[in-house]
Amino acid sequence: MMWPFYLMALVAIVSTVRVVTNANPVHALLSLIVSLLAVAGMFMIVGAPFAGALEIIVYAGAIMVLFVFVVMMLNLGQHTVEQERKWLTSSAWAYPALMSFLMGLALVWMLGSDYTTAGPVMGTQVVGPKAVGTALFTHYLLLVEVAAMLLLAALVAAFHLGKREPSAKEEKE
């Protein structure tokens, strides 16, 4: 019974294609959220609930909220009011609702099955946070340190690129 995995994979693929092909940034963000939730569901199905939870908390939660705030802050004036009215139509929300319904079907099936005692559908064992932490800080310690340095460099670069020099008018005040 691997249909929940394939259903989540189909939702993730279709959602990702809609992210790339959608011209409307809000619709693309909604599709990206659905795609990330589907990937989290795939993690859960293959026996990596910790990775699935991190996917939901970090990517579908924190990063997507940041993207939505950026899109909201880029409000470009009066003509965006009409565009926002179009976003509230049922046709704009039909696709994310359908994909969420399909993921809900897989979730109900997973919760209804004897998932906890039978183990993951596809994996051979459940990978918990302790195994992930042990692997990261023993076998992959150098890669973790390199990733931390790259993130620090990106943070410093983003600060310097986003820093605005005060204009002559602001200096007088």
Side-chain angles (χ1 to χ4, degrees), residues 19 22-32 67-68 71 74 83 87:
V19 169
N22 210 328
N24 189 329
V26 174
H27 293 175
L29 282 175
L30 288 173
S31 296
L32 186 57
F67 285 177
V68 169
V71 168
L74 292 177
Q83 188 177 19
W87 293 341

Side-chain angles (χ1 to χ4, degrees), residues 109-164:
W109 180 82
M110 291 297 295
L111 291 175
S113 69
D114 196 14
Y115 179 71
T116 57
T117 59
V121 175
M122 294 178 63
T124 58
Q125 63 182 355
V126 175
V127 179
K130 183 177 181 181
V132 172
T134 302
L136 282 178
F137 292 108
T138 55
H139 301 297
Y140 302 107
L141 181 61
L142 180 62
L143 293 176
V144 170
E145 294 295 330
V146 168
M149 292 305 292
L150 286 173
L151 287 172
L152 179 63
L155 178 70
V156 171
F159 172 76
H160 284 293
L161 289 174
K163 190 168 84 171
R164 192 174 59 127

Side-chain angles (χ1 to χ4, degrees), residues 5-68:
F5 178 82
Y6 289 123
L7 182 63
M8 292 285 190
L10 177 68
V11 168
I13 290 169
V14 171
S15 297
T16 305
V17 167
R18 285 191 47 104
V19 169
V20 175
T21 60
N22 210 328
N24 189 329
V26 174
H27 293 175
L29 282 175
L30 288 173
S31 296
L32 186 57
I33 291 170
V34 170
S35 176
L36 292 171
L37 291 174
V39 170
M42 290 169 53
F43 279 134
M44 299 281 189
I45 291 171
V46 298
F50 182 65
L54 285 179
E55 180 86 16
I56 291 171
I57 293 168
V58 174
Y59 293 109
I63 296 193
M64 286 299 102
V65 168
L66 176 70
F67 285 177
V68 169

